[in-house]
PDB file of all heavy atoms in Angstrom:
ATOM      1  N   PHE A   1       0.834  -1.208   0.000  1.00  0.00           N
ATOM      2  CA  PHE A   1       0.000   0.000   0.000  1.00  0.00           C
ATOM      3  C   PHE A   1       0.863   1.250   0.000  1.00  0.00           C
ATOM      4  O   PHE A   1       0.560   2.221  -0.681  1.00  0.00           O
ATOM      5  CB  PHE A   1      -0.937  -0.006   1.208  1.00  0.00           C
ATOM      6  CG  PHE A   1      -2.285  -0.619   0.920  1.00  0.00           C
ATOM      7  CD1 PHE A   1      -2.495  -1.449  -0.162  1.00  0.00           C
ATOM      8  CD2 PHE A   1      -3.350  -0.361   1.755  1.00  0.00           C
ATOM      9  CE1 PHE A   1      -3.733  -2.006  -0.413  1.00  0.00           C
ATOM     10  CE2 PHE A   1      -4.602  -0.902   1.527  1.00  0.00           C
ATOM     11  CZ  PHE A   1      -4.786  -1.737   0.436  1.00  0.00           C
ATOM     12  N   ARG A   2       1.935   1.232   0.765  1.00  0.00           N
ATOM     13  CA  ARG A   2       2.825   2.397   0.799  1.00  0.00           C
ATOM     14  C   ARG A   2       3.413   2.643  -0.594  1.00  0.00           C
ATOM     15  O   ARG A   2       3.492   3.772  -1.046  1.00  0.00           O
ATOM     16  CB  ARG A   2       3.936   2.215   1.830  1.00  0.00           C
ATOM     17  CG  ARG A   2       4.887   3.399   1.869  1.00  0.00           C
ATOM     18  CD  ARG A   2       5.645   3.529   3.153  1.00  0.00           C
ATOM     19  NE  ARG A   2       4.824   3.657   4.331  1.00  0.00           N
ATOM     20  CZ  ARG A   2       4.144   4.752   4.678  1.00  0.00           C
ATOM     21  NH1 ARG A   2       4.179   5.815   3.922  1.00  0.00           N
ATOM     22  NH2 ARG A   2       3.449   4.775   5.783  1.00  0.00           N
ATOM     23  N   TYR A   3       3.814   1.570  -1.269  1.00  0.00           N
ATOM     24  CA  TYR A   3       4.351   1.703  -2.625  1.00  0.00           C
ATOM     25  C   TYR A   3       3.302   2.315  -3.560  1.00  0.00           C
ATOM     26  O   TYR A   3       3.592   3.245  -4.310  1.00  0.00           O
ATOM     27  CB  TYR A   3       4.810   0.337  -3.152  1.00  0.00           C
ATOM     28  CG  TYR A   3       5.475   0.441  -4.496  1.00  0.00           C
ATOM     29  CD1 TYR A   3       6.833   0.692  -4.592  1.00  0.00           C
ATOM     30  CD2 TYR A   3       4.738   0.319  -5.674  1.00  0.00           C
ATOM     31  CE1 TYR A   3       7.449   0.812  -5.827  1.00  0.00           C
ATOM     32  CE2 TYR A   3       5.349   0.433  -6.909  1.00  0.00           C
ATOM     33  CZ  TYR A   3       6.702   0.686  -6.978  1.00  0.00           C
ATOM     34  OH  TYR A   3       7.302   0.824  -8.202  1.00  0.00           O
ATOM     35  N   ARG A   4       2.086   1.795  -3.514  1.00  0.00           N
ATOM     36  CA  ARG A   4       1.015   2.329  -4.360  1.00  0.00           C
ATOM     37  C   ARG A   4       0.735   3.786  -4.015  1.00  0.00           C
ATOM     38  O   ARG A   4       0.507   4.607  -4.905  1.00  0.00           O
ATOM     39  CB  ARG A   4      -0.252   1.493  -4.209  1.00  0.00           C
ATOM     40  CG  ARG A   4      -0.083   0.080  -4.725  1.00  0.00           C
ATOM     41  CD  ARG A   4      -1.314  -0.754  -4.446  1.00  0.00           C
ATOM     42  NE  ARG A   4      -0.949  -2.166  -4.352  1.00  0.00           N
ATOM     43  CZ  ARG A   4      -1.781  -3.110  -3.985  1.00  0.00           C
ATOM     44  NH1 ARG A   4      -3.043  -2.828  -3.697  1.00  0.00           N
ATOM     45  NH2 ARG A   4      -1.375  -4.364  -3.916  1.00  0.00           N
ATOM     46  N   TYR A   5       0.759   4.106  -2.730  1.00  0.00           N
ATOM     47  CA  TYR A   5       0.544   5.492  -2.305  1.00  0.00           C
ATOM     48  C   TYR A   5       1.670   6.385  -2.837  1.00  0.00           C
ATOM     49  O   TYR A   5       1.417   7.458  -3.383  1.00  0.00           O
ATOM     50  CB  TYR A   5       0.475   5.570  -0.775  1.00  0.00           C
ATOM     51  CG  TYR A   5       0.357   6.987  -0.263  1.00  0.00           C
ATOM     52  CD1 TYR A   5      -0.883   7.607  -0.186  1.00  0.00           C
ATOM     53  CD2 TYR A   5       1.485   7.709   0.106  1.00  0.00           C
ATOM     54  CE1 TYR A   5      -0.999   8.917   0.262  1.00  0.00           C
ATOM     55  CE2 TYR A   5       1.378   9.011   0.554  1.00  0.00           C
ATOM     56  CZ  TYR A   5       0.140   9.616   0.620  1.00  0.00           C
ATOM     57  OH  TYR A   5       0.034  10.911   1.052  1.00  0.00           O
ATOM     58  N   ASP A   6       2.911   5.960  -2.666  1.00  0.00           N
ATOM     59  CA  ASP A   6       4.056   6.770  -3.078  1.00  0.00           C
ATOM     60  C   ASP A   6       4.146   6.950  -4.584  1.00  0.00           C
ATOM     61  O   ASP A   6       4.536   8.016  -5.059  1.00  0.00           O
ATOM     62  CB  ASP A   6       5.372   6.152  -2.580  1.00  0.00           C
ATOM     63  CG  ASP A   6       5.548   6.248  -1.075  1.00  0.00           C
ATOM     64  OD1 ASP A   6       4.851   7.068  -0.429  1.00  0.00           O
ATOM     65  OD2 ASP A   6       6.382   5.488  -0.538  1.00  0.00           O
ATOM     66  N   HIS A   7       3.780   5.925  -5.365  1.00  0.00           N
ATOM     67  CA  HIS A   7       3.977   5.970  -6.804  1.00  0.00           C
ATOM     68  C   HIS A   7       2.709   6.221  -7.622  1.00  0.00           C
ATOM     69  O   HIS A   7       2.800   6.701  -8.754  1.00  0.00           O
ATOM     70  CB  HIS A   7       4.636   4.673  -7.275  1.00  0.00           C
ATOM     71  CG  HIS A   7       6.017   4.506  -6.740  1.00  0.00           C
ATOM     72  ND1 HIS A   7       6.278   3.885  -5.537  1.00  0.00           N
ATOM     73  CD2 HIS A   7       7.206   4.919  -7.218  1.00  0.00           C
ATOM     74  CE1 HIS A   7       7.581   3.904  -5.314  1.00  0.00           C
ATOM     75  NE2 HIS A   7       8.167   4.524  -6.310  1.00  0.00           N
ATOM     76  N   TYR A   8       1.550   5.909  -7.054  1.00  0.00           N
ATOM     77  CA  TYR A   8       0.296   6.009  -7.811  1.00  0.00           C
ATOM     78  C   TYR A   8      -0.813   6.639  -6.974  1.00  0.00           C
ATOM     79  O   TYR A   8      -1.962   6.227  -7.041  1.00  0.00           O
ATOM     80  CB  TYR A   8      -0.124   4.608  -8.314  1.00  0.00           C
ATOM     81  CG  TYR A   8       0.943   3.981  -9.164  1.00  0.00           C
ATOM     82  CD1 TYR A   8       1.808   3.018  -8.640  1.00  0.00           C
ATOM     83  CD2 TYR A   8       1.133   4.394 -10.480  1.00  0.00           C
ATOM     84  CE1 TYR A   8       2.823   2.469  -9.414  1.00  0.00           C
ATOM     85  CE2 TYR A   8       2.148   3.855 -11.263  1.00  0.00           C
ATOM     86  CZ  TYR A   8       2.991   2.900 -10.715  1.00  0.00           C
ATOM     87  OH  TYR A   8       3.990   2.369 -11.480  1.00  0.00           O
ATOM     88  N   ARG A   9      -0.468   7.647  -6.198  1.00  0.00           N
ATOM     89  CA  ARG A   9      -1.444   8.261  -5.304  1.00  0.00           C
ATOM     90  C   ARG A   9      -2.697   8.773  -6.016  1.00  0.00           C
ATOM     91  O   ARG A   9      -3.798   8.642  -5.484  1.00  0.00           O
ATOM     92  CB  ARG A   9      -0.808   9.400  -4.501  1.00  0.00           C
ATOM     93  CG  ARG A   9      -1.804   9.947  -3.477  1.00  0.00           C
ATOM     94  CD  ARG A   9      -1.149  10.829  -2.440  1.00  0.00           C
ATOM     95  NE  ARG A   9      -2.147  11.224  -1.471  1.00  0.00           N
ATOM     96  CZ  ARG A   9      -2.744  12.408  -1.474  1.00  0.00           C
ATOM     97  NH1 ARG A   9      -2.428  13.318  -2.366  1.00  0.00           N
ATOM     98  NH2 ARG A   9      -3.659  12.688  -0.571  1.00  0.00           N
ATOM     99  N   PRO A  10      -2.600   9.322  -7.231  1.00  0.00           N
ATOM    100  CA  PRO A  10      -3.838   9.779  -7.889  1.00  0.00           C
ATOM    101  C   PRO A  10      -4.843   8.654  -8.155  1.00  0.00           C
ATOM    102  O   PRO A  10      -5.984   8.922  -8.515  1.00  0.00           O
ATOM    103  CB  PRO A  10      -3.336  10.374  -9.207  1.00  0.00           C
ATOM    104  CG  PRO A  10      -1.915  10.742  -8.953  1.00  0.00           C
ATOM    105  CD  PRO A  10      -1.407   9.691  -7.998  1.00  0.00           C
ATOM    106  N   PHE A  11      -4.414   7.410  -7.962  1.00  0.00           N
ATOM    107  CA  PHE A  11      -5.281   6.262  -8.193  1.00  0.00           C
ATOM    108  C   PHE A  11      -5.649   5.549  -6.887  1.00  0.00           C
ATOM    109  O   PHE A  11      -6.155   4.437  -6.921  1.00  0.00           O
ATOM    110  CB  PHE A  11      -4.579   5.252  -9.118  1.00  0.00           C
ATOM    111  CG  PHE A  11      -4.251   5.803 -10.471  1.00  0.00           C
ATOM    112  CD1 PHE A  11      -3.005   6.361 -10.722  1.00  0.00           C
ATOM    113  CD2 PHE A  11      -5.176   5.777 -11.498  1.00  0.00           C
ATOM    114  CE1 PHE A  11      -2.683   6.859 -11.972  1.00  0.00           C
ATOM    115  CE2 PHE A  11      -4.874   6.274 -12.752  1.00  0.00           C
ATOM    116  CZ  PHE A  11      -3.622   6.809 -12.979  1.00  0.00           C
ATOM    117  N   PHE A  12      -5.370   6.154  -5.745  1.00  0.00           N
ATOM    118  CA  PHE A  12      -5.617   5.506  -4.445  1.00  0.00           C
ATOM    119  C   PHE A  12      -6.792   6.225  -3.778  1.00  0.00           C
ATOM    120  O   PHE A  12      -6.616   7.175  -3.013  1.00  0.00           O
ATOM    121  CB  PHE A  12      -4.368   5.566  -3.573  1.00  0.00           C
ATOM    122  CG  PHE A  12      -4.287   4.476  -2.527  1.00  0.00           C
ATOM    123  CD1 PHE A  12      -3.098   3.805  -2.323  1.00  0.00           C
ATOM    124  CD2 PHE A  12      -5.371   4.137  -1.738  1.00  0.00           C
ATOM    125  CE1 PHE A  12      -2.983   2.812  -1.358  1.00  0.00           C
ATOM    126  CE2 PHE A  12      -5.284   3.152  -0.776  1.00  0.00           C
ATOM    127  CZ  PHE A  12      -4.086   2.481  -0.592  1.00  0.00           C
ATOM    128  N   TRP A  13      -7.993   5.755  -4.068  1.00  0.00           N
ATOM    129  CA  TRP A  13      -9.218   6.395  -3.600  1.00  0.00           C
ATOM    130  C   TRP A  13      -9.730   5.770  -2.305  1.00  0.00           C
ATOM    131  O   TRP A  13      -9.527   4.587  -2.045  1.00  0.00           O
ATOM    132  CB  TRP A  13     -10.293   6.311  -4.691  1.00  0.00           C
ATOM    133  CG  TRP A  13      -9.967   7.245  -5.796  1.00  0.00           C
ATOM    134  CD1 TRP A  13      -9.256   6.966  -6.940  1.00  0.00           C
ATOM    135  CD2 TRP A  13     -10.262   8.632  -5.847  1.00  0.00           C
ATOM    136  NE1 TRP A  13      -9.112   8.096  -7.684  1.00  0.00           N
ATOM    137  CE2 TRP A  13      -9.719   9.136  -7.055  1.00  0.00           C
ATOM    138  CE3 TRP A  13     -10.935   9.503  -5.001  1.00  0.00           C
ATOM    139  CZ2 TRP A  13      -9.831  10.467  -7.421  1.00  0.00           C
ATOM    140  CZ3 TRP A  13     -11.055  10.825  -5.373  1.00  0.00           C
ATOM    141  CH2 TRP A  13     -10.509  11.297  -6.568  1.00  0.00           C
ATOM    142  N   SER A  14     -10.399   6.594  -1.531  1.00  0.00           N
ATOM    143  CA  SER A  14     -11.009   6.122  -0.292  1.00  0.00           C
ATOM    144  C   SER A  14     -12.445   6.637  -0.208  1.00  0.00           C
ATOM    145  O   SER A  14     -12.766   7.691  -0.745  1.00  0.00           O
ATOM    146  CB  SER A  14     -10.201   6.604   0.921  1.00  0.00           C
ATOM    147  OG  SER A  14     -10.148   8.010   0.972  1.00  0.00           O
ATOM    148  N   ALA A  15     -13.287   5.856   0.458  1.00  0.00           N
ATOM    149  CA  ALA A  15     -14.690   6.222   0.679  1.00  0.00           C
ATOM    150  C   ALA A  15     -14.921   6.314   2.179  1.00  0.00           C
ATOM    151  O   ALA A  15     -14.479   5.450   2.942  1.00  0.00           O
ATOM    152  CB  ALA A  15     -15.619   5.177   0.058  1.00  0.00           C
ATOM    153  N   TRP A  16     -15.630   7.355   2.571  1.00  0.00           N
ATOM    154  CA  TRP A  16     -15.838   7.635   3.991  1.00  0.00           C
ATOM    155  C   TRP A  16     -17.309   7.899   4.272  1.00  0.00           C
ATOM    156  O   TRP A  16     -17.999   8.544   3.487  1.00  0.00           O
ATOM    157  CB  TRP A  16     -15.040   8.873   4.404  1.00  0.00           C
ATOM    158  CG  TRP A  16     -13.572   8.704   4.192  1.00  0.00           C
ATOM    159  CD1 TRP A  16     -12.880   8.872   3.021  1.00  0.00           C
ATOM    160  CD2 TRP A  16     -12.620   8.308   5.165  1.00  0.00           C
ATOM    161  NE1 TRP A  16     -11.550   8.604   3.218  1.00  0.00           N
ATOM    162  CE2 TRP A  16     -11.364   8.259   4.532  1.00  0.00           C
ATOM    163  CE3 TRP A  16     -12.702   7.996   6.519  1.00  0.00           C
ATOM    164  CZ2 TRP A  16     -10.199   7.905   5.198  1.00  0.00           C
ATOM    165  CZ3 TRP A  16     -11.543   7.643   7.188  1.00  0.00           C
ATOM    166  CH2 TRP A  16     -10.308   7.597   6.535  1.00  0.00           C
ATOM    167  N   ILE A  17     -17.766   7.408   5.411  1.00  0.00           N
ATOM    168  CA  ILE A  17     -19.048   7.810   5.986  1.00  0.00           C
ATOM    169  C   ILE A  17     -18.675   8.425   7.320  1.00  0.00           C
ATOM    170  O   ILE A  17     -18.201   7.726   8.224  1.00  0.00           O
ATOM    171  CB  ILE A  17     -20.016   6.626   6.149  1.00  0.00           C
ATOM    172  CG1 ILE A  17     -20.380   6.067   4.770  1.00  0.00           C
ATOM    173  CG2 ILE A  17     -21.269   7.076   6.909  1.00  0.00           C
ATOM    174  CD1 ILE A  17     -21.290   4.849   4.815  1.00  0.00           C
ATOM    175  N   GLY A  18     -18.820   9.725   7.410  1.00  0.00           N
ATOM    176  CA  GLY A  18     -18.331  10.437   8.586  1.00  0.00           C
ATOM    177  C   GLY A  18     -16.830  10.263   8.669  1.00  0.00           C
ATOM    178  O   GLY A  18     -16.117  10.487   7.693  1.00  0.00           O
ATOM    179  N   ASP A  19     -16.341   9.807   9.811  1.00  0.00           N
ATOM    180  CA  ASP A  19     -14.897   9.589   9.958  1.00  0.00           C
ATOM    181  C   ASP A  19     -14.527   8.111   9.836  1.00  0.00           C
ATOM    182  O   ASP A  19     -13.421   7.707  10.172  1.00  0.00           O
ATOM    183  CB  ASP A  19     -14.387  10.168  11.268  1.00  0.00           C
ATOM    184  CG  ASP A  19     -15.020   9.518  12.492  1.00  0.00           C
ATOM    185  OD1 ASP A  19     -15.910   8.660  12.337  1.00  0.00           O
ATOM    186  OD2 ASP A  19     -14.617   9.878  13.614  1.00  0.00           O
ATOM    187  N   GLN A  20     -15.445   7.289   9.305  1.00  0.00           N
ATOM    188  CA  GLN A  20     -15.186   5.858   9.130  1.00  0.00           C
ATOM    189  C   GLN A  20     -14.803   5.565   7.681  1.00  0.00           C
ATOM    190  O   GLN A  20     -15.547   5.876   6.742  1.00  0.00           O
ATOM    191  CB  GLN A  20     -16.411   5.032   9.507  1.00  0.00           C
ATOM    192  CG  GLN A  20     -16.179   3.544   9.347  1.00  0.00           C
ATOM    193  CD  GLN A  20     -17.429   2.707   9.554  1.00  0.00           C
ATOM    194  OE1 GLN A  20     -18.526   3.212   9.763  1.00  0.00           O
ATOM    195  NE2 GLN A  20     -17.258   1.404   9.482  1.00  0.00           N
ATOM    196  N   LEU A  21     -13.642   4.930   7.514  1.00  0.00           N
ATOM    197  CA  LEU A  21     -13.212   4.460   6.204  1.00  0.00           C
ATOM    198  C   LEU A  21     -14.047   3.240   5.848  1.00  0.00           C
ATOM    199  O   LEU A  21     -14.036   2.244   6.572  1.00  0.00           O
ATOM    200  CB  LEU A  21     -11.723   4.093   6.234  1.00  0.00           C
ATOM    201  CG  LEU A  21     -11.137   3.530   4.944  1.00  0.00           C
ATOM    202  CD1 LEU A  21     -11.183   4.564   3.815  1.00  0.00           C
ATOM    203  CD2 LEU A  21      -9.704   3.067   5.180  1.00  0.00           C
ATOM    204  N   VAL A  22     -14.797   3.321   4.746  1.00  0.00           N
ATOM    205  CA  VAL A  22     -15.691   2.217   4.376  1.00  0.00           C
ATOM    206  C   VAL A  22     -15.324   1.581   3.041  1.00  0.00           C
ATOM    207  O   VAL A  22     -15.904   0.570   2.658  1.00  0.00           O
ATOM    208  CB  VAL A  22     -17.170   2.669   4.354  1.00  0.00           C
ATOM    209  CG1 VAL A  22     -17.624   3.070   5.756  1.00  0.00           C
ATOM    210  CG2 VAL A  22     -17.397   3.787   3.354  1.00  0.00           C
ATOM    211  N   GLY A  23     -14.363   2.162   2.325  1.00  0.00           N
ATOM    212  CA  GLY A  23     -13.980   1.568   1.051  1.00  0.00           C
ATOM    213  C   GLY A  23     -12.672   2.141   0.533  1.00  0.00           C
ATOM    214  O   GLY A  23     -12.317   3.276   0.854  1.00  0.00           O
ATOM    215  N   ILE A  24     -11.972   1.325  -0.268  1.00  0.00           N
ATOM    216  CA  ILE A  24     -10.730   1.764  -0.904  1.00  0.00           C
ATOM    217  C   ILE A  24     -10.633   1.132  -2.287  1.00  0.00           C
ATOM    218  O   ILE A  24     -11.199   0.070  -2.551  1.00  0.00           O
ATOM    219  CB  ILE A  24      -9.469   1.373  -0.092  1.00  0.00           C
ATOM    220  CG1 ILE A  24      -9.481  -0.116   0.245  1.00  0.00           C
ATOM    221  CG2 ILE A  24      -9.323   2.236   1.143  1.00  0.00           C
ATOM    222  CD1 ILE A  24      -8.211  -0.633   0.900  1.00  0.00           C
ATOM    223  N   SER A  25      -9.914   1.811  -3.163  1.00  0.00           N
ATOM    224  CA  SER A  25      -9.577   1.257  -4.474  1.00  0.00           C
ATOM    225  C   SER A  25      -8.208   1.798  -4.852  1.00  0.00           C
ATOM    226  O   SER A  25      -7.871   2.941  -4.530  1.00  0.00           O
ATOM    227  CB  SER A  25     -10.628   1.616  -5.523  1.00  0.00           C
ATOM    228  OG  SER A  25     -10.703   3.013  -5.705  1.00  0.00           O
ATOM    229  N   ASN A  26      -7.427   0.958  -5.523  1.00  0.00           N
ATOM    230  CA  ASN A  26      -6.096   1.387  -5.956  1.00  0.00           C
ATOM    231  C   ASN A  26      -5.544   0.408  -6.967  1.00  0.00           C
ATOM    232  O   ASN A  26      -6.153  -0.630  -7.248  1.00  0.00           O
ATOM    233  CB  ASN A  26      -5.152   1.531  -4.753  1.00  0.00           C
ATOM    234  CG  ASN A  26      -4.937   0.239  -4.011  1.00  0.00           C
ATOM    235  OD1 ASN A  26      -4.370  -0.711  -4.533  1.00  0.00           O
ATOM    236  ND2 ASN A  26      -5.424   0.183  -2.768  1.00  0.00           N
ATOM    237  N   GLY A  27      -4.388   0.732  -7.496  1.00  0.00           N
ATOM    238  CA  GLY A  27      -3.711  -0.127  -8.458  1.00  0.00           C
ATOM    239  C   GLY A  27      -2.437   0.520  -8.941  1.00  0.00           C
ATOM    240  O   GLY A  27      -1.937   1.475  -8.330  1.00  0.00           O
ATOM    241  N   ILE A  28      -1.924   0.003 -10.052  1.00  0.00           N
ATOM    242  CA  ILE A  28      -0.653   0.475 -10.595  1.00  0.00           C
ATOM    243  C   ILE A  28      -0.737   0.597 -12.114  1.00  0.00           C
ATOM    244  O   ILE A  28      -1.538  -0.078 -12.758  1.00  0.00           O
ATOM    245  CB  ILE A  28       0.497  -0.494 -10.234  1.00  0.00           C
ATOM    246  CG1 ILE A  28       0.209  -1.911 -10.736  1.00  0.00           C
ATOM    247  CG2 ILE A  28       0.755  -0.486  -8.722  1.00  0.00           C
ATOM    248  CD1 ILE A  28       1.323  -2.906 -10.544  1.00  0.00           C
ATOM    249  N   ARG A  29       0.120   1.439 -12.663  1.00  0.00           N
ATOM    250  CA  ARG A  29       0.258   1.526 -14.113  1.00  0.00           C
ATOM    251  C   ARG A  29       1.216   0.434 -14.573  1.00  0.00           C
ATOM    252  O   ARG A  29       2.116   0.035 -13.840  1.00  0.00           O
ATOM    253  CB  ARG A  29       0.792   2.895 -14.525  1.00  0.00           C
ATOM    254  CG  ARG A  29      -0.253   3.985 -14.306  1.00  0.00           C
ATOM    255  CD  ARG A  29       0.211   5.292 -14.821  1.00  0.00           C
ATOM    256  NE  ARG A  29       0.109   5.301 -16.283  1.00  0.00           N
ATOM    257  CZ  ARG A  29      -0.069   6.404 -17.010  1.00  0.00           C
ATOM    258  NH1 ARG A  29      -0.153   7.571 -16.423  1.00  0.00           N
ATOM    259  NH2 ARG A  29      -0.147   6.330 -18.324  1.00  0.00           N
ATOM    260  N   THR A  30       1.014  -0.039 -15.797  1.00  0.00           N
ATOM    261  CA  THR A  30       1.832  -1.127 -16.328  1.00  0.00           C
ATOM    262  C   THR A  30       1.753  -1.121 -17.849  1.00  0.00           C
ATOM    263  O   THR A  30       0.841  -0.524 -18.426  1.00  0.00           O
ATOM    264  CB  THR A  30       1.346  -2.486 -15.770  1.00  0.00           C
ATOM    265  OG1 THR A  30       2.200  -3.512 -16.237  1.00  0.00           O
ATOM    266  CG2 THR A  30      -0.090  -2.783 -16.170  1.00  0.00           C
ATOM    267  N   PHE A  31       2.693  -1.783 -18.484  1.00  0.00           N
ATOM    268  CA  PHE A  31       2.608  -2.042 -19.917  1.00  0.00           C
ATOM    269  C   PHE A  31       2.044  -3.440 -20.169  1.00  0.00           C
ATOM    270  O   PHE A  31       1.741  -3.795 -21.293  1.00  0.00           O
ATOM    271  CB  PHE A  31       3.987  -1.919 -20.579  1.00  0.00           C
ATOM    272  CG  PHE A  31       4.436  -0.490 -20.714  1.00  0.00           C
ATOM    273  CD1 PHE A  31       5.478  -0.007 -19.941  1.00  0.00           C
ATOM    274  CD2 PHE A  31       3.827   0.382 -21.593  1.00  0.00           C
ATOM    275  CE1 PHE A  31       5.900   1.311 -20.049  1.00  0.00           C
ATOM    276  CE2 PHE A  31       4.229   1.696 -21.715  1.00  0.00           C
ATOM    277  CZ  PHE A  31       5.271   2.164 -20.948  1.00  0.00           C
ATOM    278  N   GLN A  32       1.908  -4.247 -19.123  1.00  0.00           N
ATOM    279  CA  GLN A  32       1.403  -5.610 -19.259  1.00  0.00           C
ATOM    280  C   GLN A  32      -0.083  -5.597 -19.588  1.00  0.00           C
ATOM    281  O   GLN A  32      -0.803  -4.650 -19.253  1.00  0.00           O
ATOM    282  CB  GLN A  32       1.682  -6.397 -17.980  1.00  0.00           C
ATOM    283  CG  GLN A  32       3.163  -6.582 -17.758  1.00  0.00           C
ATOM    284  CD  GLN A  32       3.480  -7.415 -16.538  1.00  0.00           C
ATOM    285  OE1 GLN A  32       4.623  -7.519 -16.193  1.00  0.00           O
ATOM    286  NE2 GLN A  32       2.504  -7.998 -15.877  1.00  0.00           N
ATOM    287  N   SER A  33      -0.541  -6.676 -20.208  1.00  0.00           N
ATOM    288  CA  SER A  33      -1.948  -6.735 -20.609  1.00  0.00           C
ATOM    289  C   SER A  33      -2.789  -7.636 -19.709  1.00  0.00           C
ATOM    290  O   SER A  33      -3.973  -7.806 -19.949  1.00  0.00           O
ATOM    291  CB  SER A  33      -2.056  -7.205 -22.061  1.00  0.00           C
ATOM    292  OG  SER A  33      -1.467  -8.479 -22.204  1.00  0.00           O
TER     293      SER A  33
END
């Protein structure tokens, strides 16, 4: 997660209800298919 945060932060989304984290999505860029 730290790697994804450091390198692909624009793709590391979080969902909140009040101050509770209820969802996350993330990933990485690649040339692989």
Side-chain angles (χ1 to χ4, degrees):
F1 268 19
R2 179 158 302 286
Y3 185 87
R4 295 175 206 173
Y5 176 84
D6 290 342
H7 295 89
Y8 302 100
R9 185 166 184 259
F11 299 94
F12 205 136
W13 287 93
S14 60
W16 300 82
I17 295 177
D19 62 356
Q20 180 187 4
L21 178 64
V22 296
I24 52 173
S25 62
N26 62 65
I28 57 175
R29 290 185 76 152
T30 183
F31 286 110
Q32 294 183 187
S33 59

